Amino acid sequence: MNEYNPDGLESTPAWLLLKENYADVGGKHLRELFAGDPDRATRFTAEGAGLYLDYSKQRITDETFRLLIQLAEQRGLRERAEEMFSGVHINVTEDRAVLHTALRDPRSVKLDVDGQDVTGDVNDVLDKMAQFADRIRSGEWKGHTGKRIANVINIGIGGSDLGPVMAYEAMKFYSDRDIKFEFISNVDGTDFAEAVLGLDPEETLFIVSSKTFVTQETMTNANSARTWILDALKDKSAVAKHFVAVSTNAELVEKFGIDTANMFGFWDWVGGRYSMDSAIGLSTMIAVGPDGFHEMLDGFHEMDEHFRTTPLEQNLPALMGLLGVWNRDFLGCATVAVLPYEQYLKRFPAYLQQLTMESNGKHVTLSGKHVTYETGPIYWGEPGTNGQHSFYQLIHQGTSIIPCDFLFFVEPLNKVPALDAPDHHDLLIANVLAQSSALAFGKTAEEVAAEGVPADVVPHKVMEGNRPSNTVMAQKLTPHTLGAMIALYEHSVFTQGVVWGIDSFDQWGVELGKIMAKKIVPVLVEGSDDATLDASTLMLAARYRDGKNKK
Ligand code: F6P
């Protein structure tokens, strides 16, 4: 294999040919592409780990497809993936392995990395989590006053929140309804106040989830939680019964007052946004039980294996990643809408925002050179059909092309009777199919005029179409399909990072704001001067202080 050159994208033969291909394909309409090639609806599809992907509504031809596959080969996608799976330090700027895939390896796998028995350690933590989850679910674990735990509150932010809250919402159907779950992330005190409102401290367990255990928001909320418990229970020893921690930092966990016997560990080779299937998923495991959690891990693993072994032409994450590169760098699309037609996936777009944007929102390559092409697009979205009545107007007729990922399931989890009306689920699916079709094919001026629309209104009703989309379909939302779906996006993000030559596993861009916030605190609280701050910030801080004093 040639040595990976992060800076070599624009001289890759396939990239150069894709430019030529775009000159041909870019001007073509999906109507034309389908008319000349109706078979593309069956050909441009792929299946794996229980998911079916239809990408026939992407603006590609067979030649584009062939070149995208070549691009992946020429950028060494396969080899880079093997490096990731085997523990090479591909997170170059932090000199770390990237081993979230090891979190879902079967017990039989033997993986030693940097002197660590990775699979053994992962399974030890999973077993400890399972024991604890069972004790909470069965009521064996009691609070300080002997009451069983009825409320579980995860305190964390970013990857230590978005994964747990998304997974809880996604698998609520399978969760223990006798336990109430809350998630506190924002340093805004309202988040805390609303989460604990009406809860009995004697029945409440806090899971403080933080990889580093220094994150300002999480530690502030954890301190408030400790105050809330101690105010009610008036005994320091109550902390041990009402707090557990998930972290890589045993020292700080102990300092906070949590018994490290009740700490669930993970490792620096699990990135925050890739951690929901590590101990960070403790709340998820309590909600759905150890079996449900393991079923989810199996779904992740099946997609890992699919990514690792399936030829690129049929490889879901590779294809989705490559199509994303095509849309971003050739079609010039700056954003992607993720549109799950499944109410339980309402937090999935928010989860994907961190996964995709913290991973691939990078401006330099692995060697530190400024990129001369676009990298990670903005991800956003809402569950269908709600979005249709708000922002879809812009997707259909706005001046930006927004590729969409439509997600749906054949079987609904809730069969809701609707006498004398079409079935909820049939309507839901009719809507998702209608949207991707309308976006792709639109409606011409002739078609609009033929409906008797007055000439002056015709331009307003024209739908240009030619808006690309993927459709991902699965039989049913289960822990298994959820795991597969998340891994699909993880590896599609990876694929793009490899093509772009960037470090998808660091996040230096979030640091400066954190440091500045620390500097600004004394300016707000003590009115101290800080000559290193800009004039606008100092003015705003002064106005805030005046306002505070007026109260
Ligand atoms: O600020 C970004 C970030 O570092 C994320 O990458 C991470 O998921 C989040 O903060 C929370 O970090 P921690 O788990 O260490 O509290």
Side-chain angles (χ1 to χ4, degrees):
M1 169 208 154
N2 292 336
E3 205 183 318
Y4 180 60
N5 176 8
D7 301 314
L9 175 59
E10 287 176 298
S11 53
T12 307
W15 184 264
L16 297 169
L17 291 170
L18 277 164
K19 278 188 170 170
E20 287 175 23
N21 180 258
Y22 177 70
D24 171 38
V25 179
K28 291 208 166 103
H29 197 288
L30 277 165
R31 256 183 251 131
E32 196 184 336
L33 294 176
F34 268 85
D37 175 22
D39 185 44
R40 62 185 281 129
T42 40
R43 208 172 59 255
F44 287 149
T45 62
E47 223 164 327
L51 306 184
Y52 177 83
L53 167 68
D54 173 356
Y55 57 98
S56 63
K57 295 192 191 85
Q58 293 287 347
R59 287 168 54 182
I60 57 165
T61 61
D62 283 317
E63 179 64 359
T64 323
F65 178 79
R66 203 176 58 78
L67 292 172
L68 286 171
I69 300 296
Q70 279 183 15
L71 179 67
E73 283 161 355
Q74 289 168 13
R75 293 298 282 154
L77 176 62
R78 282 254 170 262
E79 294 82 357
R80 294 297 284 174
E82 270 323 299
E83 287 180 357
M84 172 174 72
F85 281 104
S86 60
V88 173
H89 287 206
I90 61 165
N91 177 355
V92 172
T93 69
E94 294 180 301
D95 190 18
R96 286 177 183 168
V98 173
L99 276 173
H100 46 277
T101 51
L103 298 168
R104 52 261 191 163
D105 269 341
R107 278 177 202 267
S108 52
V109 168
K110 191 91 199 86
L111 182 66
D112 290 296
V113 174
D114 301 333
Q116 182 187 6
D117 168 10
V118 169
T119 327
D121 287 354
V122 165
N123 281 295
D124 287 349
V125 175
L126 282 170
D127 291 344
K128 185 173 165 183
M129 287 165 67
Q131 273 173 16
F132 181 74
D134 281 339
R135 290 182 72 193
I136 297 290
R137 286 163 65 86
S138 67
E140 185 199 324
W141 178 285
K142 302 274 190 295
H144 182 63
T145 57
K147 287 194 179 172
R148 70 182 281 170
I149 298 298
N151 314 305
V152 172
I153 304 185
N154 186 75
I155 298 179
I157 197 163
S160 302
D161 165 70
L162 288 163
V165 71
M166 179 277 289
Y168 170 67
E169 292 294 345
M171 296 192 285
K172 200 172 192 169
F173 182 81
Y174 302 97
S175 74
D176 183 339
R177 301 300 178 115
D178 291 334
I179 304 176
K180 185 172 165 46
F181 289 85
E182 294 283 350
F183 300 84
I184 300 174
S185 54
N186 200 337
V187 76
D188 182 338
T190 295
D191 205 11
F192 184 89
E194 286 291 340
V196 299
L197 194 70
L199 300 188
D200 180 352
E202 293 177 60
E203 299 178 340
T204 302
L205 175 83
F206 290 95
I207 304 174
V208 185
S209 298
S210 174
K211 181 173 171 180
T212 53
F213 231 70
V214 296
T215 305
Q216 185 192 55
E217 293 89 337
T218 301
M219 296 329 294
T220 306
N221 281 317
N223 278 315
S224 298
R226 190 171 45 189
T227 307
W228 186 75
I229 287 287
L230 293 180
D231 277 355
L233 305 181
K234 319 260 181 248
D235 183 351
K236 264 194 169 166
S237 67
V239 171
K241 288 285 168 201
H242 293 269
F243 284 84
V244 296
V246 178
S247 186
T248 56
N249 196 333
E251 205 183 316
L252 291 184
V253 167
E254 195 167 10
K255 213 163 158 199
F256 181 86
I258 297 176
D259 184 350
T260 46
N262 298 327
M263 167 178 156
F264 301 84
F266 59 117
W267 309 271
D268 69 1
W269 40 260
V270 184
R273 55 194 175 273
Y274 297 88
S275 66
M276 58 160 289
D277 46 353
S278 71
I280 288 290
L282 184 61
S283 58
T284 314
M285 196 190 265
I286 296 172
V288 300
D291 289 348
F293 196 83
H294 278 279
E295 191 191 325
M296 180 185 80
L297 295 183
D298 290 346
F300 269 100
H301 180 69
E302 201 178 327
M303 184 56 78
D304 293 342
E305 284 303 294
H306 170 88
F307 179 54
R308 199 172 187 171
T309 60
T310 308
L312 294 174
E313 290 81 356
Q314 287 297 316
N315 192 308
L316 271 75
L319 290 171
M320 271 181 71
L322 292 166
L323 290 164
V325 170
W326 171 252
N327 287 336
R328 182 75 180 113
D329 292 295
F330 294 90
L331 268 63
C333 305
T335 87
V336 176
V338 185
L339 307 163
Y341 278 66
E342 169 54 68
Q343 188 63 21
Y344 285 122
L345 289 186
K346 64 181 182 191
R347 298 288 288 162
F348 197 56
Y351 172 79
L352 284 188
Q353 284 187 321
Q354 188 197 10
L355 178 66
T356 59
M357 289 157 74
E358 207 172 71
S359 296
N360 283 346
K362 305 290 160 67
H363 66 156
V364 295
T365 64
L366 284 165
S367 74
K369 290 210 177 73
H370 209 288
V371 292
T372 43
Y373 39 85
E374 299 291 349
T375 62
I378 298 159
Y379 273 76
W380 57 286
E382 280 288 322
T385 56
N386 298 12
Q388 290 173 207
H389 297 271
S390 97
F391 54 78
Y392 275 44
Q393 165 64 36
L394 185 147
I395 305 186
H396 282 288
Q397 284 190 317
T399 49
S400 301
I401 301 290
I402 300 173
C404 300
D405 286 352
F406 290 101
L407 317 173
F408 75 89
F409 300 91
V410 175
E411 284 178 49
L413 290 178
N414 294 294
K415 267 293 221 183
V416 180
L419 290 181
D420 303 327
D423 176 68
H424 281 265
H425 201 63
D426 290 341
L427 285 178
L428 181 72
I429 306 312
N431 271 282
V432 64
L433 298 183
Q435 291 302 323
S436 62
S437 177
L439 283 168
F441 304 112
K443 201 169 188 182
T444 62
E446 294 71 40
E447 287 166 342
V448 176
E451 290 172 350
V453 172
D456 57 334
V457 181
V458 167
H460 299 277
K461 292 197 153 192
V462 167
M463 310 277 284
E464 285 169 355
N466 214 18
R467 266 76 169 152
S469 66
N470 289 319
T471 300
V472 178
M473 181 176 171
Q475 185 62 27
K476 189 175 170 183
L477 176 57
T478 60
H480 188 281
T481 37
L482 180 70
M485 218 171 240
I486 299 164
L488 167 64
Y489 278 95
E490 285 179 349
H491 298 315
S492 125
V493 162
F494 175 81
T495 300
Q496 296 183 345
V498 170
V499 171
W500 287 324
I502 56 179
D503 191 331
S504 298
F505 301 101
D506 62 13
Q507 57 283 319
W508 297 109
V510 301
E511 293 306 322
L512 180 59
K514 291 184 192 172
I515 295 165
M516 302 262 310
K518 278 197 189 124
K519 271 170 67 159
I520 292 172
V521 172
V523 180
L524 299 182
V525 178
E526 295 146 26
S528 59
D529 221 3
D530 189 331
T532 64
L533 290 173
D534 65 89
S536 160
T537 304
L538 286 171
M539 264 300 296
L540 290 165
R543 243 187 118 84
Y544 171 78
R545 264 195 332 266
D546 287 350
K548 249 174 106 168
N549 293 337
K550 265 190 216 142
K551 289 189 305 193

